[in-house]
Amino acid sequence: ASTSAEIIAFLLTIAGWVLVSSTLPTDYWKVSTIDGTVITTATFWANLWKTCVTDSTGVSNCKDFPSMLALDGYIQACRGLMISAVCLGFFGTIFGLVGMKCTKVGGSDRTKAKIACLAGLFYILSGLCSMTGCSLYANRITSEFFDPSFVAQKYELGAALFIGWAGASLCIIGGIILCCSIAEHSSSPRREYAYNGATSVMSSRTKIHNSIPDKAPPKPFDKNAYV
């Protein structure tokens, strides 16, 4: 049962890591809203690397962010968090392959359980980084959308944010299951066997001879018979 749980957890974390990794090149982190507009002639959208506009004919014109130091603080933070999530998920995948019971590497069962727990911690941290990055970006979008004093172009949540949240949830759930593997291993009863050594034929005969009481008859000409 624990092996099946580890396989399911590993599949969940792999799926979550792939979803988190796919959010970095995804274009639609935020999309311009059509709320309050009668005729829409262009669609504005942006991600962590560029901002683009698509006209009614379907032609897109994109502009990369010119300087990393000139970016807003929340974009820099989201970049760092998402890249950290991808890196942590990569190391979690390596440790997960080594620590699973169905693999032939990693040493003893206790050592493999510790490695699997470490992989679960990496996946949990990866999910938390992705969740924080997507939530930070979404918070900026929603705060500008509901701010009545904000007169610039307003945006709505893009598809990349929902993909990032889904991947982060899968990483956290799978990481928790992997961390529980070390608890299941420590709670399982350990059987100890005492080794008494090989018993030879001579030793068994000696034990039988020693166990029989000495019933030899008394000698008839003992010196006590004449006293």
Side-chain angles (χ1 to χ4, degrees):
S2 60
T3 304
S4 301
E6 285 184 354
I7 294 175
I8 294 174
F10 185 73
L11 293 177
L12 289 177
T13 51
I14 286 294
W17 178 58
V18 170
L19 290 177
V20 170
S21 301
S22 65
T23 58
L24 284 175
T26 304
D27 294 330
Y28 298 101
W29 277 67
K30 61 180 181 179
V31 184
S32 60
T33 180
I34 58 175
D35 182 53
T37 60
V38 180
I39 300 175
T40 303
T41 59
T43 302
F44 297 89
W45 49 274
N47 57 12
L48 298 177
W49 316 102
K50 60 185 177 180
T51 178
C52 302
V53 57
T54 304
D55 57 15
S56 58
T57 61
V59 178
S60 299
N61 185 15
C62 297
K63 179 183 178 182
D64 296 333
F65 293 133
S67 175
M68 185 183 67
L69 299 178
L71 290 176
D72 294 333
Y74 78 99
I75 296 181
Q76 296 182 6
C78 290
R79 281 184 177 182
L81 289 171
M82 297 305 296
I83 293 174
S84 299
V86 173
C87 294
L88 289 171
F90 174 75
F91 289 110
T93 303
I94 295 177
F95 285 114
L97 289 173
V98 176
M100 293 179 65
K101 294 181 179 179
C102 58
T103 58
K104 301 296 184 181
V105 294
S108 61
D109 290 341
R110 182 174 294 274
T111 304
K112 291 173 72 68
K114 293 179 180 179
I115 296 175
C117 181
L118 181 61
L121 292 178
F122 274 111
Y123 276 121
I124 292 174
L125 292 177
S126 176
L128 291 177
C129 288
S130 177
M131 188 77 70
T132 305
C134 294
S135 300
L136 182 62
Y137 199 91
N139 179 66
R140 182 60 177 263
I141 296 174
T142 54
S143 62
E144 291 179 354
F145 185 86
F146 293 107
D147 187 5
S149 61
F150 186 76
V151 295
Q153 176 65 50
K154 294 185 178 181
Y155 292 89
E156 293 183 355
L157 304 180
L161 297 176
F162 297 99
I163 295 174
W165 283 326
S169 301
L170 291 178
C171 287
I172 292 174
I173 293 173
I176 292 174
I177 297 175
L178 286 176
C179 288
C180 293
S181 63
I182 190 173
E184 293 178 359
H185 181 79
S186 60
S187 61
S188 60
R190 299 179 60 187
R191 298 180 179 179
E192 296 182 356
Y193 299 93
Y195 178 73
N196 296 325
T199 304
S200 61
V201 178
M202 296 299 295
S203 61
S204 60
R205 290 180 178 178
T206 304
K207 291 180 181 179
I208 295 175
H209 179 72
N210 294 333
S211 61
I212 299 176
D214 190 8
K215 295 182 179 180
K219 296 180 180 181
F221 299 102
D222 193 83
K223 64 179 180 178
N224 293 329
Y226 300 98
V227 178

